[in-house]
Amino acid sequence: MIKADRQRLDRLCEFGCIVCRNEGRGFVETEIHHLKGHQWSGMGKRASHQHTIPLCPVHHRHGGPVDIGYHQSPREFEDRYGTQGELLEQVNGELS
């Protein structure tokens, strides 16, 4: 990992979950989600650290009573909260 990657990941952790933020829940601690799909990574490879968004454990992995986790149901997650690309664009815009 290069210095720029470490700096980005640190800033994402300070940013908080982008979905919770968009829903007006304020700061919620995050996990780093590496974007999935052929446009973000090669076959069987993880996306670069620059193609990451901050998601809380609920929105990242398992969902909850009223929330959808990306890895629980990617299509439903994107239908409800926006595509990974849209969320990446928003995060990058707010970080700059």
Side-chain angles (χ1 to χ4, degrees):
M1 182 180 308
I2 62 173
K3 184 178 180 180
D5 292 338
R6 173 55 44 209
Q7 289 173 334
R8 177 178 177 79
L9 299 181
D10 288 345
R11 290 185 70 203
L12 291 179
C13 289
E14 294 170 0
F15 188 87
C17 175
I18 186 61
V19 174
C20 290
R21 183 184 189 115
N22 288 346
E23 293 189 338
R25 298 180 189 176
F27 177 83
V28 177
E29 289 192 30
T30 66
E31 299 176 341
I32 303 301
H33 172 68
H34 288 80
L35 276 57
K36 305 292 182 204
H38 63 82
Q39 69 271 40
W40 312 113
S41 60
M43 292 286 287
K45 294 187 177 190
R46 183 173 73 179
S48 79
H49 295 305
Q50 297 303 311
H51 294 122
T52 52
I53 57 174
L55 296 174
C56 66
V58 170
H59 289 119
H60 188 207
R61 292 183 276 139
H62 48 73
V66 296
D67 295 305
I68 302 298
Y70 180 84
H71 293 290
Q72 172 193 23
S73 180
R75 181 173 292 158
E76 192 173 351
F77 176 94
E78 290 192 340
D79 287 346
R80 184 178 292 186
Y81 307 120
T83 67
Q84 295 176 96
E86 291 167 343
L87 295 172
L88 176 64
E89 188 176 321
Q90 179 187 352
V91 168
N92 287 344
E94 291 189 34
L95 287 177
S96 61

